[in-house]
Amino acid sequence: MVKLNKILKKGKAVFLAYDQGLEHGPIDFNDKNVDPNYIIEIAQKGKYNAVVFQKGIAEKYKQEIKKSKVPLIVKLNGKTNLFKGEPIARQLCTVDEAIKLGADAVGYTIYIGSDYEDEMMQEFSKIEREAHAKNIPVIAWIYPRGKSIKGKLKKELMAYAARIGLEIGADIIKIQYNGKIEDLKWAVKSAGKTKVVVAGGIKKGEKKLLKQVKEIMKAGCIGLAIGRNVWQNKKPLEITRKIEKIIWVGK
Amino acid sequence: MVKLNKILKKGKAVFLAYDQGLEHGPIDFNDKNVDPNYIIEIAQKGKYNAVVFQKGIAEKYKQEIKKSKVPLIVKLNGKTNLFKGEPIARQLCTVDEAIKLGADAVGYTIYIGSDYEDEMMQEFSKIEREAHAKNIPVIAWIYPRGKSIKGKLKKELMAYAARIGLEIGADIIKIQYNGKIEDLKWAVKSAGKTKVVVAGGIKKGEKKLLKQVKEIMKAGCIGLAIGRNVWQNKKPLEITRKIEKIIWVGK
Amino acid sequence: MVKLNKILKKGKAVFLAYDQGLEHGPIDFNDKNVDPNYIIEIAQKGKYNAVVFQKGIAEKYKQEIKKSKVPLIVKLNGKTNLFKGEPIARQLCTVDEAIKLGADAVGYTIYIGSDYEDEMMQEFSKIEREAHAKNIPVIAWIYPRGKSIKGKLKKELMAYAARIGLEIGADIIKIQYNGKIEDLKWAVKSAGKTKVVVAGGIKKGEKKLLKQVKEIMKAGCIGLAIGRNVWQNKKPLEITRKIEKIIWVGK
Amino acid sequence: MVKLNKILKKGKAVFLAYDQGLEHGPIDFNDKNVDPNYIIEIAQKGKYNAVVFQKGIAEKYKQEIKKSKVPLIVKLNGKTNLFKGEPIARQLCTVDEAIKLGADAVGYTIYIGSDYEDEMMQEFSKIEREAHAKNIPVIAWIYPRGKSIKGKLKKELMAYAARIGLEIGADIIKIQYNGKIEDLKWAVKSAGKTKVVVAGGIKKGEKKLLKQVKEIMKAGCIGLAIGRNVWQNKKPLEITRKIEKIIWVGK
Amino acid sequence: MVKLNKILKKGKAVFLAYDQGLEHGPIDFNDKNVDPNYIIEIAQKGKYNAVVFQKGIAEKYKQEIKKSKVPLIVKLNGKTNLFKGEPIARQLCTVDEAIKLGADAVGYTIYIGSDYEDEMMQEFSKIEREAHAKNIPVIAWIYPRGKSIKGKLKKELMAYAARIGLEIGADIIKIQYNGKIEDLKWAVKSAGKTKVVVAGGIKKGEKKLLKQVKEIMKAGCIGLAIGRNVWQNKKPLEITRKIEKIIWVGK
């Protein structure tokens, strides 16, 4: 099995996610956080276990990332939120390119339930093959999406997403939390030996966020991949310290 | 012709199927059987001729599987049950990957009658070519599905599924039993030199299950690929002994 | 030009077609003819110029076919009759595989007029290239199908099918006979140097069948590819003798 | 730039087109012209600058073509007129195959405006790359087709077709003439250094045909690709002489 | 990072765009500007930093372009404006071909929001990989198009387009200006280290054009890619001088 030590610390992790520029556009940004350097600085000072970038940022800010010594996760696929049909995000960066850019792990999103689920599953499987052959961990973003999932229970979808991560060979999966700790425990259990991190999602109040972080860790996840809740926060290092305290100190 | 001796005993077999995590999600599982190790233990103690896993489980639990000495069948394709359109399950694991994972045979599902029948048939044909070149037996899961098969007779579909297995070069085919022994005999005959195993399907009462096992063997099948009826059973080894008695002792 | 001497005798031929198991299912079969060995026996005793199998049968019954010394035509594509949409049959066996299985010629079906005509034409063109590079004759089954051909004249479709065989480089084409000898003569003429065989089609009375065989030969075809009319006949060798008498003796 | 001297004489040309067997079927033919040898004879005696065949005819009549010493243009794609949806003609012959068949140039049809315009443009671009790498001229048949072009002005479509030929790198383009000389001049100008030939189209009266030939040459085209107007003519060599007189003598 | 010095001067640039022949057809042209040589002459005399051509023109006018010493940008994809469905422009020229044609940079258009966004994003990603491996800069034309973008705010779309350029690794992006300088500043900021040029668009009055050029430079763009506003102008070199004065002198 591929070693995760470069992106985990004592088996746990907080990843700073910054793929929103492609997924949502600059509407998520302000004058500060629109700049990748601001993110790299937060990641470095906040001692994040890794930062998540698309290949363009990983390439154009290669020197700055290298200098920061923050481990790098390159997202290999992505899409805009403009197209209104069934979601599909195709591979935009190869495993080899990611390695050249200094990646310590690679990520790929699968929209389960989408009309294109089969194509993303297959593309993921090739990436997983290539990455594991080169000892690079693979993180799967697994999100239920598309018209087929309407009316399905969130609890079941969350556990299903987690299980798929195990079945298809992801080392870590990133899923969305439905807010019920018992359901998340079941999802973590369903993932077996595949590690689970939770997506931070849209910005929420500090109290609610920290409560969720506690639940996530109690449920058996190894941590989170957080973005907007940190870099949209006026004091990103302060909220980082609070999150990390829960993860590393346990409270 | 490829030799089947690694996954058959005296020409017969019971395979422990555990690809439901991807196909149906954790809704099929409880706290015990959600864990692949529980399945490996049943397979080992129950002396199953092989256990069926997706590549993720085969990889993450490689040591445990190896230690159990239970032969391994790796399913090479799969899909979730979320997408509501015409069924398509694409290849997620190559024959070479499966061999590296220790596979003694590989499996692939074809949904005949689906809009994507042609693509699965073609993908299967490539797998068959590669597997046979490396002396690996190929098991085809052949299930009639999709809007085109509505109104077709189950008897005819069952025999058609079996025949397709022969025509496209499967070594073993897994089909669903319609419950009529005469129809199954015809399906077995239609399969010619291709061996037939029957899918266990959803959990049923012990009496009904064992009656079916008897019919399956009488019809000329070489055995079954059973999952939920075993690992959802509170006493999986007990039901296993009863099934195996019918298969090996004949009653 | 590729030599046809292995599958023709004095420039003429009767091929025993047995790809119905995939195309129609076992509904075409009875207890006897469901068994490929029964077909091989008819082919051998009836001195057929070749027998037509899908790759699965060619592989599983390789020894029996070899022993019979009947030349082998491997059909390289095929589909079930379950899917109700526009017809598409994709390649399931490569030219190299067919050669390894002992093929003296390969066959491929094109459904002209189908939404997928372009894909089958292109796939055929690759097969033709590979086969001719290895001196293997290529037989094209060319059948007008799909919603676009509704209302078209059978005479014109038959001649068009024949002509396409020439234009795309088939050595022999198999077409369906509309029952009018003058139309068939025109189709044969349209095919130029490409040889024409006629498909036997569904079982018909002996008198009607033999009358058609005479017309087919008079029209300039080189023979037929016949299946159900022989192996569904209670006395397959008797009907074979009558057919062959017309072909070889001329009456 | 690729040299065109093998298929042009003093920078001008008349090509004898005979791809109608695939494009329209034998309905265009009679007892004489259904035979490719009749066409080769006309091409030879009529001193055509080249004859246009699909690969099947180029292969089956290779000796006859070679003996005639008429230069050969192999059409690399084609389709039937049976399918009623948006037009698509895929590549059926590679540049290498065409060269082996003795081709002095290759041709490819693009239906601009079709739903599949993008696929044909891309396939053409690969052919152009391969052909130019081997010094083989590429002729693009560019025809506006499909539901998107309804209501567009013929003048603009003709000039657009010509311009596309230049933009995508064709050496010669074959377009359809709208009958207005000023419009054709503009199309020729739009094509820049790419040469323009006009398609003969359906058979028309001699007077009308010769009038058009004059206009075509006056407009700056290098000649025509003519088929039915020649080989459907009872005296093909006579009409050929008249056409060639206009082209070479100028009246 | 790839060096841009061949197509920039002091970090700024004006590119003469001439891909309209494929994108719109000759309707954009008159008797003068229909001729690529006229464009090459303007580019040379006007000291443009590069001229933008499709591969056909780059190939047929290779000597003239070389002689002019104007740097060359080859557009690698393109489409006509005939097809009325969701926009898709596929790759028609490889990076290697462009290099052989003397390209100093390559360009590719992505229609974000289109049904085919995913395919163009993926094709772009391969081009970027190949071009950067050979030290060739990549310019992305990023235009929001298709039915999904209806009703979206132009400001947000402009910034989104710019950001995508950064995320997917373009060196320079060409976007359309909505006419509001504050919005363009935000777009430039969103593009990070990726340079921004603005498309000239349809011909407008000189006063309006020069006002826009000033705004574009004030907003932080590195320049423009201009076509119709120059070569449809009766005095192309005069307007060029005025534009360049704003860019290089700053007023």
Side-chain angles (χ1 to χ4, degrees):
Chain A
M1 251 166 80
V2 168
K3 285 192 181 162
L4 303 174
N5 54 306
K6 283 191 184 168
I7 53 166
L8 299 189
K9 195 171 77 179
K10 300 182 193 172
K12 291 185 287 187
V14 208
F15 302 135
L16 190 59
Y18 190 65
D19 55 343
Q20 290 81 356
L22 180 55
E23 300 294 331
H24 311 148
I27 207 161
D28 278 3
F29 300 146
N30 59 27
D31 266 1
K32 275 189 179 174
N33 58 37
V34 72
D35 181 2
N37 281 324
Y38 181 72
I39 305 304
I40 296 167
E41 199 191 313
I42 296 172
Q44 184 186 20
K45 292 191 179 162
K47 298 184 184 177
Y48 278 86
N49 297 90
V51 66
V52 181
F53 288 140
Q54 281 285 343
K55 86 164 175 183
I57 293 181
E59 191 186 38
K60 295 274 181 292
Y61 298 80
K62 198 179 172 187
Q63 296 313 319
E64 292 86 339
I65 297 165
K66 204 179 167 186
K67 210 176 142 190
S68 77
K69 294 186 182 165
V70 178
L72 174 66
I73 296 165
V74 175
K75 249 326 258 317
L76 302 187
N77 69 339
K79 62 169 194 60
T80 74
N81 67 9
L82 296 173
F83 174 56
K84 286 169 181 162
E86 289 287 292
I88 166 89
R90 290 191 191 277
Q91 186 178 6
L92 304 178
C93 180
T94 66
V95 170
D96 280 343
E97 271 182 293
I99 291 171
K100 274 180 206 156
L101 292 170
D104 299 291
V106 294
Y108 186 94
T109 304
I110 301 172
Y111 298 108
I112 53 173
S114 160
D115 275 29
Y116 303 104
E117 175 194 289
D118 60 317
E119 297 189 34
M120 286 176 280
M121 296 261 276
Q122 191 168 54
E123 201 165 64
F124 175 84
S125 80
K126 285 175 195 160
I127 283 165
E128 197 250 30
R129 179 157 61 251
E130 288 169 30
H132 283 182
K134 310 220 165 180
N135 256 311
I136 297 288
V138 179
I139 305 171
W141 274 237
I142 305 189
Y143 298 155
R145 289 283 158 84
K147 58 183 188 297
S148 285
I149 63 146
K150 270 177 194 161
K152 303 251 173 187
L153 291 176
K154 284 200 175 174
K155 174 190 171 170
E156 284 174 13
L157 287 172
M158 186 169 67
Y160 204 165
R163 181 70 183 196
I164 289 164
L166 168 62
E167 299 274 346
I168 64 178
D171 301 298
I172 297 174
I173 46 167
K174 183 184 172 193
I175 57 172
Q176 284 160 332
Y177 178 32
N178 74 343
K180 295 184 183 166
I181 187 164
E182 288 312 310
D183 295 353
L184 185 56
K185 277 185 189 168
W186 176 236
V188 169
K189 202 153 195 176
S190 297
K193 290 194 183 182
T194 294
K195 317 291 185 197
V196 179
V197 298
V198 166
I202 56 164
K203 190 157 182 291
K204 42 187 85 74
E206 184 179 311
K207 204 171 155 183
K208 196 181 173 192
L209 175 68
L210 297 178
K211 180 176 169 289
Q212 281 206 356
V213 176
K214 279 176 201 161
E215 290 167 9
I216 288 163
M217 298 313 291
K218 260 190 207 153
C221 296
I222 63 156
L224 358 112
I226 197 160
R228 285 166 287 179
N229 278 290
V230 169
W231 43 255
Q232 282 181 356
N233 193 306
K234 286 185 188 166
K235 303 185 177 176
L237 293 175
E238 208 165 277
I239 191 72
T240 296
R241 264 190 301 271
K242 287 173 184 168
I243 292 165
E244 292 183 344
K245 201 180 150 205
I246 295 167
I247 292 176
W248 309 110
V249 184
K251 61 185 175 180
Chain B
M1 253 165 76
V2 168
K3 284 190 182 165
L4 304 173
N5 54 305
K6 283 192 183 168
I7 52 167
L8 300 189
K9 195 171 76 179
K10 301 182 190 172
K12 291 185 287 188
V14 208
F15 303 136
L16 190 59
Y18 190 65
D19 56 344
Q20 291 80 357
L22 180 55
E23 300 294 331
H24 312 146
I27 207 161
D28 278 3
F29 300 146
N30 61 26
D31 266 1
K32 275 190 179 174
N33 59 36
V34 73
D35 181 2
N37 281 323
Y38 180 71
I39 305 304
I40 296 168
E41 200 191 312
I42 295 173
Q44 183 185 21
K45 292 190 179 163
K47 297 185 184 177
Y48 278 86
N49 298 91
V51 66
V52 182
F53 289 139
Q54 282 286 343
K55 85 164 174 183
I57 293 182
E59 189 185 41
K60 295 274 181 293
Y61 297 81
K62 197 179 172 186
Q63 295 313 318
E64 292 87 339
I65 297 165
K66 203 179 169 186
K67 209 176 143 190
S68 77
K69 294 184 182 166
V70 179
L72 173 67
I73 296 165
V74 175
K75 247 330 254 315
L76 301 188
N77 69 339
K79 63 169 194 60
T80 74
N81 68 9
L82 296 173
F83 174 56
K84 287 168 180 163
E86 289 287 292
I88 166 89
R90 290 191 191 276
Q91 186 177 7
L92 304 178
C93 180
T94 65
V95 170
D96 280 344
E97 271 182 293
I99 291 171
K100 274 181 206 155
L101 292 169
D104 299 292
V106 294
Y108 186 93
T109 304
I110 300 172
Y111 297 109
I112 52 173
S114 160
D115 275 28
Y116 303 104
E117 174 193 291
D118 59 318
E119 296 189 34
M120 286 177 280
M121 296 262 275
Q122 190 168 54
E123 202 166 62
F124 175 84
S125 80
K126 286 176 195 160
I127 283 165
E128 197 250 31
R129 179 156 62 251
E130 288 168 31
H132 283 182
K134 309 220 166 180
N135 256 310
I136 297 289
V138 178
I139 306 171
W141 273 237
I142 304 189
Y143 298 155
R145 289 283 158 84
K147 59 184 188 295
S148 285
I149 63 147
K150 271 177 193 160
K152 303 251 173 188
L153 291 176
K154 285 200 176 175
K155 173 190 170 169
E156 284 173 14
L157 286 172
M158 187 168 68
Y160 205 165
R163 181 68 182 197
I164 289 164
L166 169 63
E167 298 275 345
I168 63 178
D171 301 299
I172 298 174
I173 47 168
K174 184 184 171 193
I175 57 173
Q176 284 160 333
Y177 179 32
N178 74 343
K180 295 184 183 166
I181 187 165
E182 288 311 311
D183 294 353
L184 186 56
K185 277 185 189 170
W186 176 238
V188 169
K189 202 155 193 175
S190 296
K193 290 194 183 182
T194 293
K195 317 290 185 196
V196 180
V197 298
V198 166
I202 55 164
K203 192 159 181 290
K204 41 188 85 74
E206 183 179 314
K207 204 171 155 183
K208 195 181 175 192
L209 175 68
L210 297 177
K211 181 177 169 289
Q212 281 206 353
V213 176
K214 279 175 202 162
E215 289 167 9
I216 288 163
M217 298 314 290
K218 260 188 206 154
C221 296
I222 63 156
L224 4 109
I226 196 161
R228 286 166 286 178
N229 278 289
V230 169
W231 44 254
Q232 282 181 356
N233 192 307
K234 285 185 187 168
K235 303 184 177 177
L237 293 174
E238 208 164 278
I239 190 72
T240 296
R241 261 189 302 273
K242 287 172 183 170
I243 292 164
E244 292 183 343
K245 201 179 150 206
I246 296 167
I247 292 175
W248 309 112
V249 185
K251 60 182 177 182
Chain C
M1 253 166 75
V2 167
K3 285 190 180 163
L4 303 174
N5 55 307
K6 282 191 182 168
I7 53 167
L8 300 188
K9 195 171 76 178
K10 300 182 191 172
K12 292 186 285 186
V14 208
F15 303 135
L16 191 59
Y18 190 64
D19 55 344
Q20 291 81 357
L22 180 55
E23 300 295 331
H24 313 146
I27 207 161
D28 277 3
F29 300 145
N30 60 27
D31 267 1
K32 274 189 179 176
N33 59 35
V34 72
D35 181 2
N37 281 323
Y38 180 71
I39 305 304
I40 296 167
E41 200 190 313
I42 296 173
Q44 184 185 21
K45 292 189 179 163
K47 298 183 183 179
Y48 278 86
N49 298 90
V51 66
V52 182
F53 289 139
Q54 281 285 343
K55 86 163 174 184
I57 293 182
E59 189 185 40
K60 296 273 182 292
Y61 297 81
K62 197 179 172 185
Q63 295 314 317
E64 292 87 339
I65 297 165
K66 203 178 168 185
K67 210 175 143 190
S68 77
K69 294 186 182 165
V70 179
L72 173 65
I73 296 165
V74 175
K75 246 329 255 315
L76 301 188
N77 69 338
K79 63 168 195 61
T80 74
N81 67 9
L82 296 173
F83 174 56
K84 287 169 181 162
E86 288 288 292
I88 166 90
R90 290 190 191 277
Q91 186 178 8
L92 304 177
C93 180
T94 65
V95 170
D96 280 344
E97 271 183 293
I99 290 171
K100 274 182 206 154
L101 292 169
D104 298 292
V106 293
Y108 186 93
T109 304
I110 301 172
Y111 298 109
I112 53 172
S114 160
D115 275 29
Y116 303 105
E117 175 194 289
D118 59 319
E119 297 190 34
M120 286 177 280
M121 296 262 276
Q122 190 168 56
E123 201 165 63
F124 174 84
S125 79
K126 286 176 194 159
I127 283 165
E128 197 251 32
R129 179 156 61 249
E130 288 168 31
H132 284 181
K134 309 219 166 181
N135 255 311
I136 297 290
V138 178
I139 306 171
W141 274 236
I142 304 189
Y143 299 156
R145 289 282 159 83
K147 58 184 187 298
S148 285
I149 62 146
K150 269 176 194 161
K152 304 250 175 190
L153 291 176
K154 285 201 175 174
K155 172 190 172 171
E156 284 174 14
L157 287 172
M158 187 168 67
Y160 205 165
R163 180 70 182 196
I164 289 164
L166 168 63
E167 299 275 346
I168 64 178
D171 300 299
I172 296 173
I173 47 168
K174 183 184 171 193
I175 57 173
Q176 284 160 332
Y177 178 32
N178 74 343
K180 295 182 182 167
I181 187 165
E182 288 311 311
D183 295 352
L184 186 56
K185 276 184 189 170
W186 176 237
V188 170
K189 201 154 194 176
S190 297
K193 290 195 182 182
T194 293
K195 318 289 186 198
V196 179
V197 297
V198 166
I202 56 165
K203 192 160 181 291
K204 42 188 85 74
E206 184 179 312
K207 204 171 154 182
K208 195 182 174 191
L209 176 67
L210 297 177
K211 180 177 168 288
Q212 281 206 354
V213 176
K214 279 175 202 162
E215 290 167 10
I216 288 163
M217 298 313 289
K218 261 189 205 152
C221 295
I222 63 157
L224 1 108
I226 197 161
R228 287 165 286 179
N229 278 289
V230 169
W231 45 253
Q232 283 180 357
N233 192 307
K234 285 185 187 169
K235 304 183 175 177
L237 293 175
E238 208 164 278
I239 190 75
T240 297
R241 260 188 305 271
K242 288 173 183 167
I243 292 164
E244 293 183 343
K245 202 180 151 205
I246 296 167
I247 292 176
W248 309 110
V249 184
K251 60 183 179 184
Chain D
M1 252 166 78
V2 167
K3 287 192 180 162
L4 304 173
N5 55 307
K6 283 191 182 169
I7 53 167
L8 300 189
K9 195 172 75 178
K10 301 182 191 170
K12 292 186 285 186
V14 208
F15 303 134
L16 191 60
Y18 191 65
D19 56 343
Q20 290 81 356
L22 180 55
E23 301 294 331
H24 313 146
I27 207 161
D28 278 3
F29 300 145
N30 59 28
D31 266 2
K32 275 190 179 175
N33 59 36
V34 72
D35 181 2
N37 281 323
Y38 180 71
I39 305 304
I40 297 167
E41 200 190 313
I42 296 173
Q44 185 186 19
K45 292 190 179 162
K47 300 186 183 178
Y48 278 86
N49 297 90
V51 66
V52 182
F53 289 140
Q54 281 285 342
K55 85 164 176 185
I57 293 181
E59 189 185 41
K60 295 273 181 292
Y61 297 81
K62 197 179 172 185
Q63 295 314 318
E64 292 87 340
I65 297 165
K66 202 178 168 184
K67 210 175 142 190
S68 77
K69 294 187 183 165
V70 179
L72 173 66
I73 296 165
V74 175
K75 247 328 257 315
L76 301 188
N77 70 338
K79 63 168 194 60
T80 74
N81 67 9
L82 296 173
F83 174 56
K84 286 170 182 163
E86 288 288 292
I88 166 90
R90 290 191 191 276
Q91 186 178 8
L92 304 177
C93 180
T94 66
V95 170
D96 280 344
E97 271 182 294
I99 291 171
K100 272 181 207 153
L101 292 169
D104 298 292
V106 294
Y108 186 93
T109 304
I110 301 172
Y111 297 110
I112 53 173
S114 160
D115 276 29
Y116 303 105
E117 174 194 289
D118 60 317
E119 297 190 34
M120 286 176 280
M121 295 262 275
Q122 190 167 56
E123 202 165 62
F124 175 84
S125 79
K126 286 176 194 159
I127 283 165
E128 196 252 30
R129 179 156 61 251
E130 288 169 31
H132 282 182
K134 309 219 166 181
N135 255 312
I136 297 289
V138 177
I139 305 171
W141 274 237
I142 304 188
Y143 299 156
R145 290 282 159 84
K147 59 183 186 297
S148 285
I149 62 147
K150 270 176 193 161
K152 303 250 173 188
L153 292 176
K154 284 199 175 175
K155 172 190 170 171
E156 284 173 15
L157 287 172
M158 186 169 68
Y160 205 165
R163 180 70 183 196
I164 289 164
L166 168 63
E167 298 275 345
I168 64 178
D171 300 300
I172 297 173
I173 46 168
K174 183 184 171 192
I175 57 173
Q176 283 159 334
Y177 178 32
N178 74 343
K180 295 182 183 167
I181 186 165
E182 288 311 311
D183 295 353
L184 186 56
K185 276 185 190 169
W186 176 236
V188 170
K189 201 154 194 177
S190 296
K193 291 194 182 182
T194 294
K195 318 290 186 199
V196 179
V197 297
V198 166
I202 56 165
K203 193 160 180 291
K204 41 188 84 74
E206 185 180 310
K207 203 170 153 184
K208 195 181 173 191
L209 176 68
L210 297 178
K211 180 177 168 288
Q212 282 206 354
V213 176
K214 280 175 201 161
E215 289 167 10
I216 287 164
M217 297 314 289
K218 259 188 207 154
C221 296
I222 62 157
L224 0 109
I226 197 161
R228 287 166 286 179
N229 278 290
V230 169
W231 44 253
Q232 282 182 357
N233 192 306
K234 285 186 187 167
K235 302 183 177 177
L237 293 175
E238 209 164 278
I239 191 73
T240 296
R241 261 189 304 272
K242 287 172 183 168
I243 293 165
E244 293 183 343
K245 201 180 151 206
I246 296 167
I247 292 176
W248 308 110
V249 183
K251 59 184 177 184
Chain E
M1 251 165 79
V2 168
K3 285 190 182 163
L4 304 173
N5 55 306
K6 282 190 183 168
I7 53 167
L8 299 190
K9 195 172 76 179
K10 301 183 192 171
K12 292 186 284 187
V14 208
F15 302 135
L16 191 58
Y18 191 65
D19 56 343
Q20 289 81 356
L22 180 55
E23 300 295 330
H24 312 147
I27 206 161
D28 278 2
F29 300 146
N30 60 27
D31 265 1
K32 276 190 178 175
N33 59 35
V34 71
D35 181 2
N37 281 324
Y38 181 70
I39 305 303
I40 296 168
E41 199 191 312
I42 296 173
Q44 185 185 19
K45 292 190 179 164
K47 299 185 183 178
Y48 278 86
N49 298 91
V51 65
V52 182
F53 289 139
Q54 281 285 342
K55 86 163 174 184
I57 293 182
E59 190 185 39
K60 295 271 181 294
Y61 297 81
K62 198 180 172 186
Q63 295 313 318
E64 291 87 339
I65 297 166
K66 203 179 169 184
K67 210 177 142 189
S68 77
K69 295 188 182 164
V70 179
L72 174 66
I73 296 166
V74 175
K75 251 322 260 315
L76 302 187
N77 70 338
K79 62 168 194 61
T80 74
N81 68 8
L82 296 173
F83 174 56
K84 287 169 181 162
E86 289 287 292
I88 166 90
R90 291 191 191 277
Q91 186 178 6
L92 304 178
C93 179
T94 66
V95 170
D96 280 343
E97 271 182 294
I99 291 171
K100 273 181 208 154
L101 293 169
D104 298 291
V106 294
Y108 186 93
T109 304
I110 301 172
Y111 297 109
I112 54 172
S114 160
D115 275 29
Y116 303 104
E117 174 194 289
D118 60 316
E119 297 190 34
M120 286 177 280
M121 295 261 276
Q122 190 167 55
E123 202 166 61
F124 174 84
S125 80
K126 285 175 195 160
I127 283 165
E128 196 251 29
R129 178 156 63 250
E130 289 169 30
H132 283 182
K134 310 218 166 182
N135 255 311
I136 296 290
V138 179
I139 305 171
W141 274 237
I142 305 190
Y143 299 155
R145 290 282 159 85
K147 59 183 187 298
S148 285
I149 62 147
K150 270 178 193 161
K152 303 252 172 187
L153 291 176
K154 285 200 176 174
K155 173 191 170 169
E156 284 173 14
L157 287 172
M158 186 169 68
Y160 205 165
R163 181 70 183 196
I164 288 163
L166 169 63
E167 299 275 344
I168 63 178
D171 300 300
I172 297 174
I173 46 166
K174 183 184 171 191
I175 58 172
Q176 284 159 334
Y177 179 32
N178 74 344
K180 294 183 184 168
I181 186 165
E182 288 311 311
D183 294 353
L184 186 56
K185 277 185 189 169
W186 177 236
V188 169
K189 201 154 195 175
S190 296
K193 291 194 182 181
T194 294
K195 317 292 185 197
V196 179
V197 297
V198 166
I202 56 165
K203 192 159 181 291
K204 41 187 84 73
E206 185 180 311
K207 203 171 154 184
K208 196 181 174 192
L209 175 68
L210 297 178
K211 180 175 168 288
Q212 282 206 355
V213 176
K214 279 175 202 162
E215 289 167 10
I216 287 163
M217 297 314 289
K218 261 189 204 152
C221 296
I222 62 156
L224 359 111
I226 197 161
R228 287 166 286 179
N229 278 290
V230 169
W231 43 255
Q232 282 181 357
N233 192 307
K234 286 184 187 167
K235 303 184 176 176
L237 292 175
E238 208 164 278
I239 191 73
T240 296
R241 262 189 303 273
K242 286 173 184 169
I243 292 165
E244 292 183 344
K245 200 180 152 207
I246 296 168
I247 292 176
W248 309 110
V249 183
K251 59 186 177 182

